[in-house]
Amino acid sequence: MIEERSAGAILYRNTPHGRTYLLLNYPSGHWDFVKGNIEKGESFKETVLREVREETGITDVNFVNGFENKVEYHYQRDGKLVHKEVVFFLAETPTEEVRISHEHQGFVWLRFDDALQKLTYKTAQNLMKKVRESGFQT
Ligand code: ATP
């Protein structure tokens, strides 16, 4: 089986109307957090900083200490089964403006419950619930 490793961020902004969370629309149609493949020699957090920059143009990212959770899934690529693991961190940015790359079709900043509904996959929804369960004020 092919093994794939990515790292990503549940990226949020503090707004006067509460926290909002960033979701991206992937080319295959699903909505998920910012993430991307880990390149050789990179730490998970280095991958996240690079992917956030490349996929959104956002450069000021502050990790929230203590939140690190893994999501796992399988998918088919060219008829072959891929096992994928994605390590996610929780992170804050003061930047609202997003410039998505050609790798995505759209983005949205949503309040916690709306983001939870918008996420396509159960694994991503369960990850987001862990943010609340960890005691973090959403
Ligand atoms: P990356 O952002 O890590 O570079 P990618 O854009 O290459 O990833 P994924 O978002 O992992 O790819 O999507 C690859 C395939 O896996 C797609 O067919 C997608 O629908 C499916 N997929 C993505 N996330 C999940 C998930 N949480 N559970 C199940 N299937 C998923």
Side-chain angles (χ1 to χ4, degrees):
M1 199 183 326
I2 301 166
E3 296 289 337
E4 210 175 287
R5 299 278 178 278
S6 280
I10 302 169
L11 190 65
Y12 69 88
R13 289 179 58 233
N14 292 319
T15 81
H17 313 290
R19 296 202 155 123
T20 57
Y21 295 79
L22 182 65
L23 301 186
L24 300 180
N25 193 197
Y26 281 73
S28 40
H30 61 288
W31 287 88
D32 204 351
F33 302 108
V34 188
K35 62 176 169 56
N37 278 13
I38 297 164
E39 290 181 358
K40 240 195 176 140
E42 272 182 338
S43 70
F44 294 152
K45 285 185 176 174
E46 283 169 348
T47 301
V48 171
L49 294 175
R50 179 181 52 73
E51 289 290 343
V52 170
R53 192 180 63 240
E54 289 176 4
E55 297 189 341
T56 71
I58 293 173
T59 54
D60 41 2
V61 173
N62 306 300
F63 290 102
V64 174
N65 280 336
F67 188 94
E68 180 175 340
N69 274 283
K70 194 168 71 181
V71 166
E72 279 186 80
Y73 50 93
H74 293 89
Y75 71 95
Q76 296 269 352
R77 198 206 307 147
D78 304 327
K80 296 200 180 96
L81 191 62
V82 179
H83 172 241
K84 183 156 181 174
E85 290 187 353
V86 190
V87 173
F88 281 99
F89 298 93
L90 180 61
E92 182 269 346
T93 180
T95 304
E96 178 174 12
E97 192 195 342
V98 172
R99 281 177 277 113
I100 49 167
S101 70
H102 64 278
E103 287 179 50
H104 296 98
Q105 319 187 111
F107 74 92
V108 66
W109 289 105
L110 291 175
R111 295 301 308 275
F112 189 90
D113 288 324
D114 295 329
L116 201 52
Q117 279 205 352
K118 187 95 177 162
L119 285 164
T120 301
Y121 291 106
K122 263 260 136 31
T123 47
Q125 292 171 352
N126 289 340
L127 171 79
M128 196 162 191
K129 286 179 190 163
K130 283 188 185 149
V131 173
R132 193 157 52 194
E133 287 159 11
S134 73
F136 183 76
Q137 194 60 49
T138 57

